[in-house]
Amino acid sequence: MNDAAPAPTPAPAPRKRARVRAPELIGKGGWLNTGGKELTLADLRGRVVLLDFWTFCCINCLHVLDELRELEEKHRDTVVIIGVHSPKFVHEAEHAAVVDAVERYEVHHPVLDDPELATWKQYAVRAWPTLVVIDPEGYVVAQHAGEGHAHAIARLVEELEAEHEAKGTLRRGDGPYVAPEPVATDLRFPGKALVLPSGNLLVSDSTRHQLVELDADGESVVRRIGSGARGFGPDAFSEPQGLALLPDGRVVVADTVNHALRVFDPATGAVETVAGTGRQWWQGSPTSGPALEVDLSSPWDVAWWQGRVWIAMAGVHQLWTWDPEAGTVEVAAGTTNEGLVDGPAAEAWFAQPSGLAAAGDRLWVADSETSALRYVEREGEGGYAVRSAVGTGLFDFGHRDGDADQALLQHPLGVTALPDGSVAVCDTYNHALRRYDPATGRVSTLATDLREPSDAVLVGEDIVVVESARHRLTRLRLPEEAVRVDAVAHRTQRAATEVAPGTLRLDVVFQAPAGQKLDTRYGPSTRLLVSSTPPELLAQGEGAGIDLFRDLVLNPDVTEGVLHVSAMAASCDDDPANEYPACHVHQQDWGVPVAVTAAGASRLPLVLAGLDA
């Protein structure tokens, strides 16, 4: 018998990681939130650096900003988050617009404005949002696309902190963030507005997390509703947006970042939650049921139509409804796939629906990411159908008037029904108010020189526009004649990926985070959905499956297009002793422009989580 004390169990060795030197951070727009200082990776040596490739039109990017707030606060002395702003739309390449967005969404870390996608290309990024982790010695150690990765990154950060503390290569201290000077205005990036029965105007003051009641002049503040601090209590909102008047005079509020619907009573000032749990909806969650028990995802606008409140659920590219009498919510249209597909409501695709307007037998929808004006109407016995009036898809946008099938918008956020049966569209990134007339099928421009208009309401013979980036309401007389605007057409700035004709191997790279494994207790834990624009681009390979890889066969007669790829993986804590392990969903949608060339690649890797070997 050996009486010697047992040898101590050695600490586990750090996981072996691929060591790829991080490219330098470059962007023509320069740096924000640094007090004017230009940052380099050398300046950040000794810290864990998290690059967040985002663009401010993208709802998934906004979700990630919120996901990272806790990590940012908890590891403030070791982690530096750098937002790399990488525009999709032409407007997003304007430096002033990036400055506005950084304030609007309360980005409290340095941001590199990269209007030409230089750093995006250096890091071979293919999707918004993408997160890249750089260790304290300047090497890329992980990449994640999409949402739901905060837990994995938090664990990796703790590993890196321990590893580099032991090596002596971790440097603690204050980060490079310098807060900009606050600006005093009555409104700050207002979102939506409505006319109360009293004649006063109610505005969602989104960045201040409040509702503001203004006098009928649209300028004098009558009262503020909400504490002004981000929260989910009876006196708090989080970036509220849409407003709709109920038949009883109360107001439904789309409390966007709280993923909830609230009801405000102008008579008493009371606020109550009527739908949502405060948690964000994820794939596999219920899509109908008691309103206070079902998760929602970034409701952006609301409208009373057909006896229910319709919800533009921007976060999942769907329309939902809330029935106040039954106290229930349910999906009304959309599949969660992002794109522009018309047809029966259950089969239609939307892309960040952000504005709603009820007009008789139609519900108009501003579908922002497809730069489209859509509508819902009844079809058949109790069913609904989705149609497109203006817009063609995710990658074509601009400012062009004329016949609707040729007209172009740029990321519209609001739509307003006009008395003559036409609709006004807040063409947000064109800084314009547009008009679509169903009777003639034509689009015209009513007003220009607005600054990111996000909503408009009729007040007598005037239309009051929410100029979000000018922090005010602007009253216009509805013109009888259109404004003449030179036509401009754009496509996304992203360069097409060159792929070879014939068979293309699609690989979605996913590595479960440390301490986790794919969750197969209830069936397959991964999902892959592939389609294309135009549909003829794919001869074989479209549709849904459970493997994260697939051989696609390209049509030799189609030389360019867009591959739409949606991937999901569920991972759970790998601890046999834990009967109820914590589980996490990782998901991302890619729209990959491709050009078919003889010298193109025969493999297309898309990183969901990990590094492509």
Side-chain angles (χ1 to χ4, degrees), residues 280-545:
Q280 183 183 341
W281 186 93
W282 287 97
Q283 289 287 353
S285 301
T287 55
S288 64
L292 290 169
E293 298 175 15
V294 177
D295 299 338
L296 309 181
S297 182
S298 297
W300 206 274
D301 203 6
V302 280
W304 178 258
W305 187 60
Q306 307 255 328
R308 291 177 289 168
V309 171
W310 288 66
I311 310 163
M313 203 73 76
V316 286
H317 318 299
Q318 291 180 311
L319 303 181
W320 288 40
T321 60
W322 168 55
D323 185 334
E325 288 193 15
T328 56
V329 293
E330 64 180 351
V331 173
T335 64
T336 76
N337 296 321
E338 185 178 13
L340 191 153
V341 175
D342 291 338
E347 301 171 16
W349 293 21
F350 294 93
Q352 261 175 249
S354 301
L356 299 175
D361 58 358
R362 285 184 177 179
L363 178 70
W364 293 97
V365 183
D367 201 28
S368 62
E369 280 293 288
T370 53
S371 297
L373 175 64
R374 323 271 301 273
Y375 60 91
V376 181
E377 62 182 1
R378 281 206 174 272
E379 182 178 72
E381 200 65 38
Y384 293 94
V386 177
R387 315 281 185 219
S388 294
V390 183
T392 58
L394 286 165
F395 298 100
D396 292 292
F397 52 92
H399 192 148
R400 182 194 287 150
D401 290 331
D403 291 339
D405 59 355
Q406 298 294 317
L408 294 172
L409 308 170
Q410 186 180 181
H411 198 81
L413 291 179
V415 60
T416 306
L418 299 179
D420 64 358
S422 66
V423 290
V425 179
C426 285
D427 194 5
T428 309
Y429 288 2
N430 280 328
H431 310 301
L433 188 67
R434 313 285 293 282
R435 176 178 178 262
Y436 169 68
D437 186 354
T440 63
R442 292 183 64 81
V443 175
S444 57
T445 298
L446 297 177
T448 58
D449 194 32
L450 301 168
R451 188 69 187 170
E452 291 193 15
S454 54
D455 196 20
V457 293
L458 290 172
V459 180
E461 295 183 356
D462 297 336
I463 188 164
V464 176
V465 179
V466 180
E467 276 198 273
S468 190
R470 282 201 178 113
H471 320 293
R472 71 186 188 192
L473 304 188
T474 297
R475 187 181 297 261
L476 304 172
R477 179 57 53 95
L478 274 172
E480 294 182 6
E481 294 186 7
V483 177
R484 180 174 173 78
V485 177
D486 291 333
V488 180
H490 301 290
R491 294 208 83 198
T492 179
Q493 293 187 48
R494 294 163 61 196
T497 298
E498 294 190 354
V499 295
T503 300
L504 175 67
R505 174 69 170 206
L506 172 65
D507 281 324
V508 174
V509 177
F510 178 76
Q511 297 160 4
Q516 294 184 23
K517 65 179 180 179
L518 289 173
D519 177 24
T520 56
R521 291 171 299 163
Y522 307 110
S525 59
T526 55
R527 186 190 71 171
L528 181 64
L529 177 68
V530 180
S531 63
S532 66
T533 303
E536 298 78 27
L537 174 65
L538 285 177
Q540 293 179 34
E542 66 176 352

